[in-house]
Amino acid sequence: MASTDPSMIPAAVLAGPAVPPPVGVKPNLTNPDSTGHILIIVSSILLGIMLSFVLNRLYVKIFMTRKFGWDDASCVVATLFTIAYFTVGVIGVTQCHVGVHLWNVTLGDFLSNTNIIDVYLSEILASPGFMFIKITFFLLYLQLFRPVRSLRIAIYIGLVFTLLAYTSFTIAWFALGTPSTHETWQQHFLGPEQTKGNGLDWPIPAIGLAGDIYILVIPLVGIYGLQLPMRRKIGVAMVFLTGVLAIIASILRIVYTVAVSSNTLSDLTYNLMPVQLTIIVEMTLGVTVSCMPAFSHMLHQHVSSLSVLRSRLTSLFSKTARSTKGSSTGWSSKHTAPSASEQAGFVRVHDGDMSVSDYEMARYKAPRTYISSGKSGRTEEDGVHLKYEVKQETHDLRDPQRSPVMELF
């Protein structure tokens, strides 16, 4: 298509529909229906969930484990790109008629700088955003599966391929989508360079889908080789299987992107909405899933703390209940002259209301645990002694035949 100068288009044409409506359809240029609210609602919810997981990850890594790594830095960058793309999507709905049929948009609005730049930014921001999301996963896997040589090689291959592919896509889109110094945004948008850039619309998500599947398979292979009970393996695998949702979003993105690419100017504003929505869904879910190990760590810590608290409260309530029952039903210690058993360190208790035999309970000191090596010596007979046999095994994590050690919980 030859470049077109919008300044040469009559004002009456700019005020009319951007494209002719289908047969029997009357254009509505004043108050058209829009599906843009779906993008805002769904993406806002997912963005809120994503941010909560990211904040939890930062809290765990900075204040709990005190191990802020390169994968965490990459996650932060990916989060910033996701927020930027979300902002572009919201602006597209509120100011650029995204979600509205193109025949309900005036040609002047369609060719405005705001609309064209919004489309341009949506193309530019997606690739680096997905790149950092995938880099986050590969860096995380490198920490978890570094001892296994085959997985380590697979991770490095995926990492290098991701860097090269998405960097190339970003440079290509920047070169093809940016107008030259002697062009306006409108001239470039309707020119041949933009058409060439549109040819990248479906290869990028296709490669992204392959990368998502690759990222999902790596931890499953690593978990399969762990020396863990099957139930524990399933639990750890479920942390990463949440990435299936991102794969579904990636598939839908390809479907909608192909529809836009095949009919670029026929109904662009309407078809662009599901494309941008699936991109936001895929980005937010990708960042969220990358934060799942940190979420599992936080959940495990809180569950452990709650279990300890519940145990202490149960013990406290049990003691209170026994004390209350003793004062009301007659449980008491005998205060008569000490018997031979009492002199030996026993206490005799009885139930004043129930016909039961007396019980003798020995006083004992707190248990002590002794850990020693070699021949055990004599210990003071001052209470209850617990004897443990402690074994320690060491594994060379550099041995590829050994299972990697993972602590996700």
Side-chain angles (χ1 to χ4, degrees):
M1 179 185 296
S3 298
T4 302
D5 186 358
S7 61
M8 304 300 294
I9 302 176
V13 176
L14 292 175
V19 295
V23 179
V25 176
K26 183 178 180 180
N28 183 358
L29 302 177
T30 56
N31 187 26
D33 294 331
S34 174
T35 58
H37 64 281
I38 299 176
L39 183 148
I40 294 178
I41 294 173
V42 174
S43 59
S44 297
I45 294 174
L46 292 177
L47 185 72
I49 296 174
M50 181 200 74
L51 290 177
S52 64
F53 274 83
V54 172
L55 291 176
N56 173 78
R57 176 180 185 145
L58 295 177
Y59 176 80
V60 169
K61 293 301 185 74
I62 296 175
F63 298 104
M64 295 183 67
T65 64
R66 301 183 183 277
K67 295 180 180 179
F68 188 87
W70 287 108
D71 58 320
D72 304 305
S74 178
C75 181
V76 172
V77 176
T79 301
L80 295 177
F81 272 104
T82 303
I83 295 173
Y85 194 92
F86 167 81
T87 304
V88 170
V90 172
I91 292 176
V93 171
T94 57
Q95 300 184 26
C96 302
H97 306 282
V98 171
V100 179
H101 285 293
L102 192 53
W103 53 83
N104 291 329
V105 179
T106 64
L107 182 60
D109 289 338
F110 179 67
L111 295 179
S112 65
N113 286 343
T114 302
N115 181 71
I116 296 175
I117 293 175
D118 185 79
V119 174
Y120 170 79
L121 291 177
S122 67
E123 299 288 356
I124 293 295
L125 293 174
S127 291
F130 283 118
M131 180 181 70
F132 280 103
I133 291 173
K134 289 176 171 55
I135 288 176
T136 301
F137 279 102
F138 287 124
L139 293 177
L140 172 63
Y141 294 166
L142 200 57
Q143 297 178 21
L144 300 178
F145 305 111
R146 183 185 293 273
V148 185
R149 184 172 181 272
S150 58
L151 290 180
R152 186 170 67 249
I153 294 174
I155 292 168
Y156 278 125
I157 292 175
L159 182 60
V160 172
F161 179 81
T162 297
L163 283 169
L164 294 177
Y166 282 98
T167 300
S168 300
F169 289 146
T170 303
I171 294 175
W173 248 116
F174 184 81
L176 296 174
T178 306
S180 61
T181 55
H182 62 274
E183 283 184 313
T184 64
W185 282 102
Q186 291 79 10
Q187 290 173 335
H188 187 83
F189 182 68
L190 299 175
E193 296 299 318
Q194 182 68 30
T195 304
K196 294 178 182 178
N198 294 336
L200 297 174
D201 286 344
W202 70 266
I204 294 177
I207 293 177
L209 174 61
D212 291 338
I213 297 174
Y214 189 78
I215 287 173
L216 179 64
V217 170
I218 288 178
L220 298 181
V221 173
I223 293 168
Y224 179 79
L226 289 175
Q227 298 299 325
L228 293 174
M230 182 57 65
R231 182 178 179 182
R232 181 73 183 277
K233 286 184 179 182
I234 295 175
V236 178
M238 290 302 296
V239 173
F240 298 100
L241 283 174
T242 51
V244 173
L245 298 176
I247 292 177
I248 295 174
S250 183
I251 294 173
L252 292 176
R253 178 190 171 197
I254 294 175
V255 173
Y256 291 121
T257 301
V258 170
V260 172
S261 299
S262 59
N263 299 285
T264 305
L265 296 179
S266 61
D267 201 0
L268 178 62
T269 51
Y270 185 82
N271 292 330
L272 196 58
M273 193 284 294
V275 173
Q276 292 187 347
L277 177 59
T278 51
I279 290 176
I280 295 175
V281 170
E282 188 178 354
M283 294 178 78
T284 52
L285 288 179
V287 174
T288 302
V289 173
S290 72
C291 298
M292 282 295 179
F295 176 73
S296 297
H297 182 86
M298 170 68 78
L299 187 63
H300 175 69
Q301 294 296 322
H302 279 287
V303 168
S304 300
S305 300
L306 289 176
S307 298
V308 173
L309 178 61
R310 183 177 62 181
S311 177
R312 291 179 178 177
L313 291 176
T314 302
S315 177
L316 177 62
F317 290 151
S318 298
K319 292 179 180 179
T320 304
R322 286 197 299 268
S323 176
T324 304
K325 182 177 180 181
S327 62
S328 60
T329 60
W331 278 91
S332 63
S333 297
K334 289 192 173 183
H335 298 286
T336 58
S339 63
S341 298
E342 291 171 328
Q343 292 177 358
F346 292 84
V347 176
R348 301 186 68 213
V349 297
H350 74 282
D351 186 349
D353 295 335
M354 301 179 63
S355 300
V356 296
S357 301
D358 292 351
Y359 295 93
E360 292 185 346
M361 302 181 63
R363 295 189 181 97
Y364 60 88
K365 297 182 179 181
R368 295 183 180 180
T369 303
Y370 299 90
I371 301 177
S372 60
S373 60
K375 184 177 180 180
S376 59
R378 297 176 58 85
T379 58
E380 180 185 357
E381 297 296 333
D382 58 353
V384 179
H385 299 277
L386 303 178
K387 183 178 180 181
Y388 292 93
E389 182 180 0
V390 180
K391 293 183 179 181
Q392 182 177 4
E393 296 181 359
T394 60
H395 299 278
D396 185 3
L397 294 180
R398 294 171 296 178
D399 187 350
Q401 300 301 322
R402 301 285 187 181
S403 297
V405 178
M406 279 199 329
E407 293 184 357
L408 293 179
F409 301 98

